[in-house]
C-alpha cells in the first residue's frame, strides 16, 4: 500500500527524495484512511523516527507532526513501533523549535493513553522533567499537550507518587487551572484529582490556593495537614 511504498523510499531513497517523502507523509497524515495504513507500516514509522533523530530541523518538524497525527490512533500502532517512538519523542522536547516540542508533546499525550506508555513515560529519566516547565511557562498549545501527558500518565495509580514528587508539578497544574485553556484545564483537573488521592504526594497548599480562587471545592482543607484529600469538585 501507499504507506509501505513511501516507507521503502525513506529507507532506500536519496536524501533529497527522503525529504520529499517525509513532507508527503506529513500531508497525507491528515487523512484518517491513510493514517490507518500508516499505523500498520513499521517501515514508514521507523523511517519517520529515524528522520526525527537525524533530519534537518525543517524535516524533523514534518516528521514529528506526522507522528503526532499517527498517534491519534494509538491502538492501531504495533507495540514495537510505539516503543521505538518513545526516546526520539522525548528528545524532541529538548529542541529549541517550539513547533517540534509541541508536536512531540502531542504525540506523547496520545500514546500515553496506552497503559504501557503511561508507565514508560513516567519512569523515563527526563520526560516529565521536560514537560513540567512547558506546562508552567509554555505557550497555550504547549501547555495543553504537556499537561495532557501528565494527566494521562496520572491515570495509572502506580505512577502517582513518581509524578507528585517532580519539582514544580503542582505549580504547573495550579497555573494551568487558573490560566489555561479549557482543554488544558480539563487535563490539569484530571491530574490534580489523581495526585490528590495519594496522601504522600498531595500538596495541600496547592489545593488551598485553588479553593480560595473557587476553582476547587474541597471540605477537608482548613487544617492544611497532609491527609487524604478527595478533590473531586472542579469548576
Amino acid at each position: 500500500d501507499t504507506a509501505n511504498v513511501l516507507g521503502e523510499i525513506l529507507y532506500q531513497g536519496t536524501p533529497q527524495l527522503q525529504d520529499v517523502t517525509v513532507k508527503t507523509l506529513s500531508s497525507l497524515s491528515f487523512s484518517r484512511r491513510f493514517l490507518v495504513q500508516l499505523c500498520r507500516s513499521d517501515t514508514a514509522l521507523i523511517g519517520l523516527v529515524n528522520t526525527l533523530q537525524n533530519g534537518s530541523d525543517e524535516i524533523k518538524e514534518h516528521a514529528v507532526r506526522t507522528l503526532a497525527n499517527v498517534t491519534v490512533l494509538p491502538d492501531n500502532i504495533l507495540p514495537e513501533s510505539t516503543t521505538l517512538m518513545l526516546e526520539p519523542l522525548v528528545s524532541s522536547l529538548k529542541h529549541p523549535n517550539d513547533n517540534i516540542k509541541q508536536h512531540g508533546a502531542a504525540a506523547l499525550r496520545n500514546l500515553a493513553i496506552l497503559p504501557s506508555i503511561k508507565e514508560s513515560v513516567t519512569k523515563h529519566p527526563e520526560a516529565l522533567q521536560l514537560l513540567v516547565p512547558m506546562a508552567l511557562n509554555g505557550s497555550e498549545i504547549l501547555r495543553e499537550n504537556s499537561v495532557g501527558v501528565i494527566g494521562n500518565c496520572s491515570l495509572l495509580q502506580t505512577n502517582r507518587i513518581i509524578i507528585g514528587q517532580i519539582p514544580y508539578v503542582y505549580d504547573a497544574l495550579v497555573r494551568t487551572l487558573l490560566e489555561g485553556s479549557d482543554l488544558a484545564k480539563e487535563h490539569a483537573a484530571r491530574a490534580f484529582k489523581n495526585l490528590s488521592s495519594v496522601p504522600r504526594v498531595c500538596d495541600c497548599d496547592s489545593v488551598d490556593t485553588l479553593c480560595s480562587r473557587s476553582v476547587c471545592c474541597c471540605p477537608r482543607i482548613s487544617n492544611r495537614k497532609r491527609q487524604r484529600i478527595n478533590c473531586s469538585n472542579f469548576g
Side-chain angles (χ1 to χ4, degrees):
D1 57 23
T2 304
N4 281 324
V5 171
L6 293 173
E8 290 296 332
I9 295 174
L10 283 180
Y11 268 116
Q12 301 177 13
T14 64
Q16 184 177 8
L17 187 55
Q18 289 173 343
D19 288 354
V20 172
T21 302
V22 172
K23 292 179 180 180
T24 301
L25 286 167
S26 178
S27 297
L28 291 173
S29 70
F30 289 95
S31 161
R32 191 173 182 87
R33 177 181 291 183
F34 181 74
L35 277 184
V36 174
Q37 286 187 31
L38 191 51
C39 285
R40 292 294 176 181
S41 175
D42 279 349
T43 304
L45 292 178
I46 291 170
L48 288 167
V49 167
N50 288 337
T51 301
L52 180 56
Q53 292 175 305
N54 303 311
S56 66
D57 285 354
E58 179 190 1
I59 299 304
K60 282 181 179 179
E61 185 173 339
H62 284 287
V64 74
R65 180 188 295 118
T66 307
L67 291 174
N69 289 340
V70 169
T71 54
V72 170
L73 303 173
D75 291 323
N76 290 7
I77 304 172
L78 297 175
E80 297 82 0
S81 297
T82 60
T83 301
L84 286 173
M85 288 181 198
L86 182 59
E87 193 63 43
L89 288 174
V90 171
S91 295
S92 74
L93 304 179
K94 304 176 187 177
H95 200 280
N97 183 321
D98 274 359
N99 288 332
I100 292 176
K101 288 180 183 176
Q102 168 190 316
H103 295 306
L108 288 171
R109 179 201 65 206
N110 296 336
L111 288 176
I113 293 173
L114 303 172
S116 61
I117 300 299
K118 285 180 172 66
E119 183 174 6
S120 297
V121 170
T122 302
K123 292 183 177 179
H124 191 281
E126 292 184 293
L128 293 177
Q129 286 81 358
L130 291 167
L131 289 162
V132 167
M134 296 179 200
L136 194 58
N137 299 310
S139 66
E140 182 175 302
I141 298 178
L142 265 176
R143 178 175 285 171
E144 286 178 0
N145 291 338
S146 55
V147 174
V149 180
I150 296 169
N152 285 342
C153 288
S154 73
L155 290 170
L156 197 63
Q157 189 167 5
T158 53
N159 286 346
R160 293 173 188 172
I161 290 177
I162 298 172
I163 297 171
Q165 292 174 338
I166 296 171
Y168 305 110
V169 67
Y170 274 97
D171 299 276
L173 296 177
V174 168
R175 180 172 294 181
T176 301
L177 284 164
L178 295 176
E179 304 173 0
S181 66
D182 288 346
L183 179 58
K185 286 178 180 178
E186 181 180 340
H187 292 314
R190 179 186 302 118
F192 208 103
K193 178 182 177 180
N194 291 335
L195 298 183
S196 296
S197 71
V198 182
R200 282 180 57 187
V201 298
C202 179
D203 187 309
C204 294
D205 289 340
S206 294
V207 181
D208 197 13
T209 297
L210 294 176
C211 288
S212 69
R213 297 286 293 273
S214 300
V215 176
C216 164
C217 180
C218 189
R220 301 182 61 185
I221 293 299
S222 58
N223 58 11
R224 295 174 178 256
K225 291 181 179 178
R226 292 190 176 276
Q227 57 184 326
R228 183 177 179 83
I229 295 172
N230 181 21
C231 204
S232 59
N233 184 10
F234 287 91

